[in-house]
Amino acid sequence: DVKVTQSSRYLVKRTGEKVFLECVQDMDHENMFWYRQDPGLGLRLIYFSYDVKMKEKGDIPEGYSVSREKKERFSLILESASTNQTSMYLCASSLSTSGTAEQFFGPGTRLTVL
Amino acid sequence: QKEVEQNSGPLSVPEGAIASLNCTYSDRGSQSFFWYRQYSGKSPELIMFIYSNGDKEDGRFTAQLNKASQYVSLLIRDSQPSDSATYLCALLGWGKLQFGAGTQVVVTP
């Protein structure tokens, strides 16, 4: 079974703090993704990566950065957390970006910024 | 206009009945479509995908795609209380998924 893990289920940070969200997958997948999920808005793509050290902006990259130094690990960084970044953050991975490639999701990190 | 539109619900369905969920999209170039199920407090999991016009069946689930009319639907036959969840429609474009906001389904005994 594919397993995608995220470093924390719940996280509380203060405005202005630097926040790191870690994601690890154990199936040698090429592609990894970071989404945020908000009520009524669905999942929105923040950043994704096709390969080590590669990154592509998604639909809402502002205020975020990412790092992929190893194939299995994809980190999301909030340089200076703000209250509007309070959300559920979901990491996903897929074997490829072909038309039928399934994305497997981690359990999510619920981030609250005070 | 959102690229992927779903009725947010909740869609209330009696146990044993058919649940019908609809999704419309604006990008005519989209080729692959996915239905994910998300239980409350959990992450999404794939139910099925479809990329050809017509119907695709998998157990109690049937996905229907009509590219000319730009909609994809999901039918859940013999609905069970365990089907109560939010169902997310997604389409694949440029190597990334575009998700709808989801339809909440509540199956009542």
Side-chain angles (χ1 to χ4, degrees):
Chain A
D1 277 353
V2 174
K3 194 165 185 183
V4 181
T5 57
Q6 295 183 229
S7 49
S8 306
R9 288 303 307 273
Y10 300 94
L11 209 52
V12 180
K13 295 292 182 181
R14 296 207 175 273
T15 301
E17 281 192 81
K18 191 168 186 176
V19 182
F20 292 87
L21 303 182
E22 302 283 336
C23 175
V24 177
Q25 50 93 4
D26 66 357
M27 284 301 290
D28 204 34
H29 282 176
E30 299 291 331
N31 309 298
M32 298 187 75
F33 307 82
W34 274 108
Y35 296 90
R36 63 177 284 177
Q37 186 173 29
D38 301 287
L41 297 177
L43 276 80
R44 293 180 291 167
L45 183 64
I46 305 171
Y47 268 97
F48 59 109
S49 169
Y50 292 130
D51 201 352
V52 176
K53 297 192 186 295
M54 302 279 291
K55 60 183 179 183
E56 297 283 344
K57 292 181 179 179
D59 299 316
I60 51 164
E62 296 78 19
Y64 304 94
S65 62
V66 290
S67 173
R68 195 168 180 199
E69 295 296 317
K70 293 185 177 181
K71 190 175 186 179
E72 67 271 18
R73 188 180 298 269
F74 192 35
S75 302
L76 180 69
I77 303 153
L78 287 67
E79 294 290 342
S80 178
S82 63
T83 55
N84 62 12
Q85 292 178 309
T86 291
S87 186
M88 171 67 84
Y89 289 88
L90 289 160
C91 175
S93 71
S94 68
L95 185 60
S96 74
T97 54
S98 71
T100 59
E102 178 180 356
Q103 286 191 18
F104 295 86
F105 285 85
T109 296
R110 185 165 293 281
L111 173 67
T112 302
V113 182
L114 302 176
Chain B
Q1 180 187 0
K2 291 183 182 177
E3 292 190 32
V4 183
E5 296 267 10
Q6 293 183 257
N7 188 324
S8 62
L11 178 66
S12 185
V13 180
E15 185 174 355
I18 296 175
S20 178
L21 291 76
N22 294 312
C23 173
T24 58
Y25 60 94
S26 58
D27 183 1
R28 287 192 172 273
S30 301
Q31 295 297 317
S32 300
F33 304 85
F34 300 77
W35 283 101
Y36 280 81
R37 176 178 61 201
Q38 186 175 24
Y39 292 114
S40 180
K42 302 292 186 181
S43 54
E45 55 184 349
L46 183 68
I47 300 174
M48 60 193 308
F49 65 87
I50 185 168
Y51 52 85
S52 299
N53 275 327
D55 295 0
K56 180 181 179 183
E57 188 174 315
D58 184 359
R60 295 186 296 110
F61 298 96
T62 299
Q64 300 173 317
L65 175 60
N66 184 322
K67 291 186 180 180
S69 300
Q70 294 175 253
Y71 80 80
V72 57
S73 61
L74 181 71
L75 301 178
I76 308 173
R77 290 183 301 281
D78 187 24
S79 296
Q80 301 297 309
S82 60
D83 295 324
S84 296
T86 296
Y87 291 80
L88 306 172
C89 170
L91 56 87
L92 185 68
W94 300 100
K96 54 183 182 177
L97 288 178
Q98 197 82 27
F99 283 87
T103 297
Q104 184 187 3
V105 172
V106 178
V107 180
T108 55

